[in-house]
Amino acid sequence: MSQHTADTAQAGAASASTSVPVQASTGWWRDAVIYQVYPRSFADSNADGMGDLEGIRARLPHLRDLGVDAVWLSPFYASPQADAGYDVADYRAVDPMFGSLLDADAVIRDAHGLDLRVIVDLVPNHSSDQHEWFKRALAEGPGSPLRERYHFRAGKGASGELPPNDWESIFGGPAWTRVADGEWYLHLFAPEQPDLNWEHPAVGDEFRSILRFWLDMGVDGFRIDVAHGLVKAEGLPDLGAHEQLKLLGNDVMPFFDQDGVHDVYRAWRLILDEYAGERIFVAEAWTPTVERTANYVRPDELHQAFNFQYLSSYWDATELRDIIDRSLDSMRPVGAPATWVLSNHDVTRHTTRYANPPGLGTQQRVAGDPALGLRRARAATLLMLALPGSAYVYQGEELGLPDVVDLPDEVRQDPSFFRAAGQDGFRDGCRVPIPWTVDGPSYGFGAGGSWLPQPAGWGALSVEAQTGVPGSTLEMYRSALAVRRAHPALGAGDFVEWLKAPEGVLAFRRESGDGGEAFVCVANTTGAAVRMTVSGRVLLTSSADDDIENGDGHTLVPADTTVWWTV
């Protein structure tokens, strides 16, 4: 018996008693706070400089104490790591750099013991070029059945020397690579990530089996990578035909957000609903509008979709109110919760984005004003957690970590960094391992250093340095999540009552629905203190240094500050 087979058998047996997750509570995901772990950078248990599953397992109590409801794990599958694990060679195996299936089982079991649910990444748009299917497709040549599971095409030109169409890779350069026998294959990301052909029935069969494998292991759900990309426009038309597609009512690119993806997710939902414990799907669906995003979360499809329009918004009251209203209005007809997110593993941390003027995008190499960025980030956090629906927290966000913008080029590993005209290529800055202790090797990340260098002074932002310190960002997060869980007006819902407020200020009220205390949130996005008329008791403020003047119904809200009241 191979080690992989043995681990699978042992993990399956071990997880049999935990296949039903932590206690079911109707619609837990409607107001859940879900914490993203990027395994490479969370905690290293074996001193090899790379985070791993055992490191995650040891640090789960931190997430319990933080007050989140679930943990989402970025990929830990067997992979050549051409794109940090988003190039999967075996969807049922754990890469040795992260551990084994037994370690995955232990993480799931321990998390459930701490009342934490576990969501894992699923990467269905593409596989690794080292996946057995793709290796056989190359070996068997043109016309082979395995090539039909990917997008192999003859090239254009007199001798097929030109790509089959004019599509560009998201990472830069052509979206096609030519193989030795002259055919080309499609890869919307790196060449090591060939796109799967979802028109082929074997692809659907395989992923339905993969879903069952991990559901039987006890996971509580899946975050679907590139959920908008599985199905391509019929005939793989040139982008030059995009305007014609618009005239036909399709306002998306030919390789993204095609209507055919919804048939895939309806079939998946049938599988998920067979399992106890309210397992969920979360879509990474980059769509032109929140209205298009709502299509992914209709009642018979997925449960949640990331709100990238909100993530991409600047710290500006007018812009934020518009996307909040549109998000709630779009999700209400399909009965899905709105989601709110400020950072993830693909974008500059919002602490750094908010330290700069608007217009620099979600990826950049500019530090800006760190103190201003942190102040705004804390205020944005309290605004996000006050909104109805579900919220996502990216690891280290609770520490106020900035992006590491000065990484030397020679240490960078983001594949798009090495390809011209693609993404900015600076995602490594948000992936630097997080600090746990004030001192020590890699600030407690692990005894063997870290795969990306941590900046000097990182320990001052560590969990150890901030724990128990009044006004620290970590304690603000802990307090906010405790209030959110306890206050009857917070959490799930689809409505806010906007209150009259000065320009540059967001103010809204939420009712508990049981006649109890209401809740008011005021977010001042301006650079000056603003006087508000709010009565009631202050629950929490994002400002660590400024006192909130609260008397006779008049309150002075400091610049770039969010305040929570109960009224």
Side-chain angles (χ1 to χ4, degrees):
M1 179 183 292
S2 70
Q3 185 59 51
H4 167 65
T5 304
D7 281 355
T8 302
Q10 292 179 54
S15 63
S17 62
T18 60
S19 59
V20 176
V22 289
Q23 70 273 10
S25 57
T26 302
W28 68 268
W29 43 275
R30 291 186 172 276
D31 62 357
V33 177
I34 300 173
Y35 185 100
Q36 181 189 359
V37 165
Y38 193 68
R40 286 171 162 247
S41 303
F42 193 65
D44 171 22
S45 70
N46 61 3
D48 66 353
M50 186 70 65
D52 48 47
L53 291 173
E54 183 57 35
I56 294 170
R57 183 186 179 194
R59 296 293 188 178
L60 287 174
H62 167 71
L63 304 185
R64 184 234 9 237
D65 295 344
L66 186 62
V68 300
D69 301 290
V71 54
W72 151 35
L73 303 176
S74 290
F76 51 80
Y77 307 114
S79 167
Q81 304 294 319
D83 185 21
Y86 283 93
D87 51 318
V88 181
D90 187 342
Y91 290 86
R92 298 177 182 84
V94 172
D95 196 284
M97 69 188 292
F98 297 123
S100 68
L101 280 173
L102 290 174
D103 294 320
D105 179 77
V107 169
I108 295 167
R109 290 165 64 89
D110 283 13
H112 287 171
L114 296 171
D115 285 338
L116 294 169
R117 290 174 166 86
V118 178
I119 297 168
V120 297
D121 242 306
L122 187 66
V123 187
N125 179 69
H126 48 263
S127 74
S128 166
D129 63 352
Q130 298 304 303
H131 191 285
E132 188 62 28
W133 282 6
F134 193 77
K135 290 195 295 184
R136 286 177 54 194
L138 290 182
E140 294 174 8
S144 70
L146 268 295
R147 290 209 175 184
E148 295 176 3
R149 300 181 186 184
Y150 295 90
H151 295 279
F152 278 88
R153 297 287 189 276
K156 294 180 178 179
S159 58
E161 73 278 9
L162 300 176
N165 68 22
D166 62 359
W167 293 4
E168 293 286 315
S169 163
I170 304 303
F171 286 169
W176 296 89
T177 289
R178 198 177 194 188
V179 300
D181 55 45
E183 285 198 329
W184 299 73
Y185 69 87
L186 176 68
H187 53 87
L188 292 182
F189 295 89
E192 297 87 353
Q193 296 167 291
D195 277 47
L196 289 157
N197 177 16
W198 274 88
E199 301 297 327
H200 196 290
V203 176
D205 290 345
E206 172 68 356
F207 275 89
R208 287 189 291 271
S209 174
I210 292 166
L211 289 176
R212 292 188 184 279
F213 179 88
W214 289 103
L215 289 167
D216 290 341
M217 283 279 287
V219 303
D220 302 279
F222 301 88
R223 175 265 190 188
I224 305 169
D225 185 63
V226 196
H228 55 301
L230 277 58
V231 175
K232 281 67 175 176
E234 185 176 358
L236 307 184
D238 283 340
L239 282 173
H242 187 218
E243 292 305 314
Q244 178 64 29
L245 289 172
K246 279 187 176 181
L247 293 175
L248 295 174
N250 189 337
D251 61 351
V252 296
M253 300 297 279
F255 46 76
F256 282 149
D257 196 27
Q258 297 295 307
D259 290 339
V261 298
H262 302 291
D263 293 332
V264 175
Y265 300 138
R266 291 186 185 99
W268 287 11
R269 180 62 178 266
L270 294 175
I271 294 173
L272 208 68
D273 287 348
E274 295 175 12
Y275 286 78
E278 291 190 298
R279 320 291 179 100
I280 70 166
F281 287 122
V282 182
E284 183 207 30
W286 289 88
T287 65
T289 64
V290 289
E291 291 79 12
R292 291 286 302 186
T293 301
N295 291 336
Y296 290 78
V297 289
R298 290 175 285 201
D300 59 346
E301 295 190 43
L302 311 179
H303 297 77
Q304 293 184 350
F306 291 132
N307 191 338
F308 291 118
Q309 284 79 15
Y310 187 79
L311 179 150
S312 301
S313 298
Y314 191 65
W315 181 239
D316 173 82
T318 300
E319 185 176 353
L320 288 166
R321 177 166 175 171
D322 175 66
I323 190 59
I324 290 169
D325 282 340
R326 288 172 48 218
S327 299
L328 295 173
D329 290 346
S330 298
M331 296 299 144
R332 195 175 296 117
V334 295
T339 64
W340 315 102
V341 59
L342 294 169
S343 289
N344 64 32
H345 65 291
D346 280 335
V347 302
T348 299
R349 289 182 179 273
H350 61 284
T351 303
T352 298
R353 296 201 313 273
Y354 292 156
N356 288 281
L360 293 180
T362 56
Q363 295 182 2
Q364 54 191 270
R365 297 184 78 179
V366 182
D369 181 343
L372 177 62
L374 179 58
R375 185 181 186 93
R376 289 174 170 176
R378 288 166 58 104
T381 295
L382 289 197
L383 172 61
M384 175 182 77
L385 293 176
L387 293 170
S390 180
Y392 283 79
V393 173
Y394 178 50
Q395 66 177 45
E397 183 179 320
E398 76 276 21
L399 305 177
L401 295 186
D403 243 54
V404 181
V405 299
D406 56 355
L407 286 171
D409 289 352
E410 59 269 21
V411 306
R412 292 188 176 275
Q413 300 190 30
D414 183 350
S416 61
F417 178 75
F418 303 99
R419 292 171 64 85
Q423 290 180 342
D424 292 338
F426 303 124
R427 296 179 298 172
D428 293 311
C430 65
R431 300 175 178 183
V432 173
I434 66 175
W436 294 93
T437 60
V438 174
D439 301 305
S442 66
Y443 303 106
F445 168 70
S450 62
W451 68 281
L452 284 173
Q454 299 160 301
W458 211 229
L461 298 173
S462 66
V463 174
E464 180 185 28
Q466 296 193 45
T467 294
V469 177
S472 71
T473 302
L474 176 58
E475 292 301 339
M476 185 199 76
Y477 268 77
R478 288 172 172 167
S479 297
L481 292 175
V483 172
R484 177 185 165 97
R485 182 168 290 184
H487 200 290
L490 288 174
D494 61 7
F495 178 76
V496 296
E497 177 190 354
W498 292 108
L499 304 176
K500 185 178 180 180
E503 184 177 356
V505 177
L506 293 171
F508 61 85
R509 177 186 178 100
R510 297 188 62 192
E511 299 288 345
S512 63
D514 61 2
E517 288 184 318
F519 170 89
V520 169
C521 175
V522 174
N524 178 9
T525 71
T526 74
V530 174
R531 187 168 298 279
M532 295 286 297
T533 302
V534 181
S535 60
R537 175 170 55 91
V538 172
L539 291 171
L540 192 61
T541 173
S542 66
S543 176
D545 304 317
D546 299 315
D547 291 329
I548 303 298
E549 298 179 13
N550 189 25
D552 299 326
H554 296 283
T555 302
L556 191 66
V557 179
D560 295 307
T561 296
T562 298
V563 184
W564 287 2
W565 278 270
T566 188
V567 296

